[in-house]
Amino acid sequence: MKKLLFAVMLFVTMTASAQIATPHFDQGSKKPIEMNLWPNGPKTSNNDPKDMAKVWVYLPDEKQATGRAVVCCPGGGYSHLAMDHEGHEWAPFFNGQGIALIVLKYRMPHGVWQVPAEDAEEAVRLVRRNAKQWHINTKDVGIMGFSAGGHLASTVATHATGDALPDFQILFYPVISMEQGVTHQGSRENLLGKKPKRKLVNEYCNEQHIGHHTPRAFIALAHDDRVVLPINSLNYYEELYANKVPASMHIYPTGGHGFGIRQSFAYHLEMMLELKAWLRSF
């Protein structure tokens, strides 16, 4: 009898633990709306006709929709994109909270540095243009990015104006600076070239462009990240604080770089709960 009771208790405990460990898979997402970002051709060409910008729009159930939306920019050093664990796999988490997720496949620069930012800004505009039919509040559209996608998201958050300026930003282990010794070298070279002019480097050191117009931020990274140094996030947070921009930064003891939404990340649960709490704070 004691063995049976122990077995039942163990099963209940394991089941509860599994439910807690996977909060973002509790609710599924609808099939996304897939769209070309530039149906009539992009504003600026990257000279690669096969590299087309696209978005996948994951909408929550209409009855649950809060009107909030997030444009997601996966990372990949401005050479490729981690579309799954830094993109599509986030849809259940956001949709479960009534938030629309728009996953962006932005074009690689191929030496034309304007291209990624033009794509990301157009994705934000696209969401606002379709706000009525997608049940989105035009004043509650954020941008999220990972690694080099975090550089792209922070570029839009610090440089965009008008309908392209997001209302909040979510950055995971972001590249922020283009300064030698601080930046991720591959991202810098792929975006700006091997010998960029000083003015161009300064333009994409995003910590230098924070002002009162910059939207509130959530930043998450690991202390032991050796790919994109934590100083990127620390400098960004310092400037946000100096400019009185609301910000929340979470530095986890371990995890390295590129964990995204993977449950193998030791602090996955804490990260998800902290992001969820931050999203509820405004």
Side-chain angles (χ1 to χ4, degrees), residues 27-205:
Q27 297 192 39
S29 299
K30 297 178 182 178
K31 185 177 180 180
I33 302 167
E34 186 176 341
M35 303 174 64
N36 288 330
L37 185 64
W38 303 100
N40 299 316
K43 179 179 177 182
T44 302
S45 173
N46 67 351
N47 301 311
D48 182 357
K50 295 182 180 180
D51 185 14
M52 298 178 62
K54 299 174 68 174
V55 294
W56 287 264
V57 183
Y58 292 87
L59 299 176
D61 188 275
E62 290 181 18
K63 295 179 180 178
Q64 196 179 6
T66 62
R68 177 167 288 175
V70 174
V71 173
C72 177
C73 306
Y78 285 122
S79 66
H80 63 280
L81 294 176
M83 294 296 295
D84 293 326
H85 72 288
E86 294 180 352
H88 298 293
E89 292 173 11
W90 282 87
F93 171 78
F94 285 104
N95 285 179
Q97 299 173 74
I99 301 171
L101 182 70
I102 296 84
V103 178
L104 170 65
K105 177 201 169 294
Y106 54 94
R107 293 170 296 148
M108 298 299 99
H110 298 313
V112 186
W113 49 265
Q114 304 97 318
V115 165
E118 285 186 2
D119 287 355
E121 289 187 7
E122 179 63 14
V124 175
R125 292 191 195 97
L126 176 72
V127 173
R128 291 192 167 120
R129 286 199 301 269
N130 290 276
K132 187 174 181 180
Q133 68 183 89
W134 292 348
H135 305 284
I136 290 170
N137 178 355
T138 58
K139 296 181 179 180
D140 202 3
V141 180
I143 194 164
M144 175 170 75
F146 303 76
S147 192
H151 182 266
L152 178 56
S154 63
T155 297
V156 175
T158 54
H159 290 68
T161 59
D163 288 344
L165 181 65
D167 298 294
F168 58 92
Q169 55 182 316
I170 302 170
L171 309 176
F172 289 90
Y173 37 87
V175 179
I176 294 293
S177 178
M178 287 287 115
E179 203 67 65
Q180 292 280 19
V182 178
T183 190
H184 174 250
Q185 193 63 26
S187 296
R188 171 183 154 125
E189 291 184 5
N190 288 329
L191 181 66
L192 305 181
K194 292 189 175 182
K195 294 182 179 180
K197 294 182 179 179
R198 181 73 250 175
K199 184 178 179 181
L200 187 59
V201 171
N202 290 344
E203 182 66 18
Y204 283 90
C205 286

